[in-house]
Amino acid sequence: MSGAENPLVSVIIPCHKQAHFLGEAIESVRRQTYRNVEIIVIDDGSPDNTSEVAARYVGVKCVKQENRGLPGARNRGIAESKGDYLVFLDADDRLLPHALETNLQHLLAHPECAFVHGHCRLITVEGQPLPTPKRHHCPEADHYFYLLQSCYIYPPGAVMFRRIALEKVGFFNESQLTVEDWELYLRIARQFPILCHHQDVIEYRIHDGGLSSKASLMFQGALTALKDQEKFVQKDPRLKEAFVIGLKSVKEIYGEGVVNSVRRGLRERDWEVVVRGLFALLRWYPRGIPKHILRKAYCLIAGVPSDAHSLYRNSRSRHSQNERND
């Protein structure tokens, strides 16, 4: 690429309590086959040595701020960046070497698209490969319809945004403290085409990261993100049906996460998590309570570990709550 086809790409890496992974994230950007890149680390009031890690890398810009949460950190990164194309890389993930080149080529080939995205490979906490679940449906068109039903785009670093599109729809919603990526995708897809190119572009690290304490917030965030779209679907029966499907899916997936957080809270005698979880279940997912009791009884009879989850649900949960900065 050269001239007008060699634009600056800004990779923004918010970091809060993730300094031990940050070096790998930065190095993955520095190894990109596409070279016209700026790296911006946002130290979002992190109590660890985030700024010191970033300072080890020549040319990496590190901005330290008081804790604003992940949406606020990303927005600060946008303000500090100069690129016409933006990538938001979680500090515990790693881009594959061709990621920026692949995403940029597709955006340049499809100027009508607000963003493009690819797929991920799963890795352990230590960075070793994990089996990656079968790909979820990635539509060729009608993205708003499908995003109403579920967020099939993950993690955020798999996406490359066109800056001008973000400027038109608005940046990350700083009142949306969880599942803020899905909320943004919905806003964008409602107004612009987007594209999935089906290639792996990122390694996505699976770990708990305080999942139990955040499960209720994640549930609330997912419901809020989806319900914000309700007023836009009322006059279209097809979109309204997709919205109802999405609402059911949110309650099943995130409600299940709250059920499991309550169970872990009971085991660990973390009563704050238990009370918060039960309140969330009673308010948004009351059938999750008897469902939990029946599942536990089944697991005891069948000898199945009651904490078993699929890799996909763990990964979506980590994606939804990662680096939340309470």
Side-chain angles (χ1 to χ4, degrees):
M1 295 183 187
S2 61
E5 294 190 349
N6 188 39
L8 179 65
V9 175
S10 300
V11 179
I12 297 162
I13 310 177
C15 194
H16 183 83
K17 299 181 180 179
Q18 298 280 347
H20 51 299
F21 295 128
L22 179 59
E24 292 182 52
I26 293 172
E27 288 168 7
S28 77
V29 182
R30 289 164 64 93
R31 288 194 296 265
Q32 290 298 298
T33 56
Y34 186 76
R35 307 304 299 171
N36 192 16
V37 180
E38 66 171 353
I39 304 173
I40 302 172
V41 172
I42 305 298
D43 181 343
D44 192 37
S46 190
D48 56 20
N49 62 331
T50 288
S51 292
E52 289 79 2
V53 172
R56 298 172 191 165
Y57 296 92
V58 176
V60 172
K61 181 178 181 179
C62 183
V63 178
K64 191 174 179 68
Q65 66 176 21
E66 292 185 5
N67 181 264
R68 286 173 54 186
L70 187 52
R74 286 177 178 158
N75 286 343
R76 177 67 183 275
I78 296 171
E80 297 286 341
S81 68
K82 299 177 181 177
D84 289 330
Y85 300 89
L86 303 170
V87 173
F88 302 95
L89 177 63
D90 285 348
D92 51 351
D93 293 336
R94 306 184 303 209
L95 293 178
L96 292 170
H98 63 277
L100 299 185
E101 183 175 6
T102 298
N103 280 341
L104 183 58
Q105 284 177 342
H106 282 89
L107 268 181
L108 292 175
H110 296 273
E112 75 282 4
C113 289
F115 70 77
V116 301
H117 69 96
H119 295 303
C120 71
R121 299 174 186 170
L122 304 184
I123 58 174
T124 66
V125 173
E126 296 78 19
Q128 299 303 308
L130 279 170
T132 299
K134 182 180 178 181
R135 308 294 188 198
H136 274 225
H137 176 63
C138 192
E140 299 298 329
D142 209 0
H143 297 94
Y144 183 56
F145 171 77
Y146 288 106
L147 278 169
L148 283 168
Q149 298 178 55
S150 68
C151 185
Y152 51 82
I153 303 170
Y154 76 102
V159 179
M160 180 178 285
F161 294 90
R162 203 181 298 275
R163 178 189 286 270
I164 192 170
L166 288 180
E167 290 174 344
K168 288 182 178 178
V169 303
F171 302 141
F172 288 95
N173 182 352
E174 296 190 27
S175 67
Q176 179 85 32
L177 296 180
T178 61
V179 200
E180 72 294 322
D181 51 340
W182 189 21
E183 191 274 337
L184 179 59
Y185 302 152
L186 284 164
R187 269 191 286 134
I188 292 174
R190 197 175 70 240
Q191 301 180 53
F192 296 100
I194 63 177
L195 174 73
C196 174
H197 54 65
H198 303 285
Q199 297 179 54
D200 291 343
V201 292
I202 193 167
E203 292 178 317
Y204 183 42
R205 199 180 307 261
I206 302 300
H207 59 92
D208 188 306
L211 199 59
S212 297
S213 63
K214 305 293 177 69
S216 298
L217 286 175
M218 290 157 51
F219 192 7
Q220 182 179 9
L223 286 171
T224 300
L226 187 57
K227 287 183 175 180
D228 281 349
Q229 301 303 310
E230 189 169 11
K231 57 183 174 290
F232 300 107
V233 306
Q234 293 304 313
K235 295 181 179 180
D236 188 323
R238 187 166 174 267
L239 292 180
K240 192 172 182 179
E241 181 183 1
F243 174 85
V244 171
I245 292 171
L247 202 59
K248 180 179 179 182
S249 176
V250 163
K251 290 181 178 181
E252 288 289 337
I253 294 175
Y254 290 92
E256 187 82 356
V258 175
V259 167
N260 290 317
S261 76
V262 169
R263 294 180 58 246
R264 286 192 292 267
L266 286 169
R267 267 200 316 271
E268 298 165 8
R269 298 188 179 183
D270 188 338
W271 307 120
E272 182 180 351
V273 167
V274 171
V275 171
R276 188 162 59 235
L278 287 174
F279 178 79
L281 290 171
L282 288 168
R283 184 176 181 185
W284 299 311
Y285 189 57
R287 76 185 187 92
I289 299 175
K291 182 179 178 180
H292 153 60
I293 295 171
L294 291 172
R295 187 182 66 228
K296 185 172 183 180
Y298 167 79
C299 291
L300 286 172
I301 294 169
V304 177
S306 56
D307 279 338
H309 305 293
S310 71
L311 278 174
Y312 177 73
R313 287 198 176 185
N314 271 337
S315 65
R316 280 300 307 159
S317 296
R318 196 235 85 185
H319 166 211
S320 302
Q321 63 83 42
N322 182 46
E323 297 185 322
R324 294 304 182 262
N325 310 325
D326 294 1

